[in-house]
Amino acid sequence: MVRCNTLLTLCGMARKPFSVRLPDEVRDRLELHATETGCSMSDIVTEALANYFSISSPKSLSDRVSRIERQLGLLES
């Protein structure tokens, strides 16, 4: 199983509930990705938004390697 990177959780930031409406296709792809990686949809959206806003946190080498392995796995499939 792939380990998830939850940038904001790793930074110790508090998390608050937030609702958003997504097109069916986006939600379906999000749900599929969550199933394939073992990450929660919330963690995937959090990481995507953190990347979008260039919010970074110190990541361990193992976290970076896990992320690269996950991305390579997606490219190979």
Side-chain angles (χ1 to χ4, degrees), residues 10-25:
L10 292 174
C11 290
M13 296 178 123
R15 295 175 69 147
K16 296 179 183 179
F18 177 75
S19 296
V20 62
R21 295 184 189 276
L22 297 172
D24 288 341
E25 181 182 351

Side-chain angles (χ1 to χ4, degrees), residues 1-5 10 37-39 60 62-63 66-67 70:
M1 183 174 294
V2 176
R3 212 169 123 211
C4 301
N5 294 319
L10 292 174
T37 63
C39 297
S60 69
S62 64
D63 287 340
S66 294
R67 181 179 172 92
R70 184 174 68 230

Side-chain angles (χ1 to χ4, degrees), residues 23-68:
D24 288 341
E25 181 182 351
V26 173
R27 169 122 166 85
D28 292 346
R29 290 183 68 179
L30 175 60
E31 190 169 10
L32 178 62
H33 186 69
T35 301
E36 289 173 344
T37 63
C39 297
S40 71
M41 291 193 301
S42 180
D43 286 343
I44 294 167
V45 171
T46 297
E47 185 171 346
L49 288 172
N51 286 332
Y52 181 82
F53 291 116
S54 300
I55 299 170
S56 62
S57 69
K59 292 184 191 175
S60 69
L61 179 58
S62 64
D63 287 340
R64 291 185 298 217
V65 169
S66 294
R67 181 179 172 92
I68 291 168

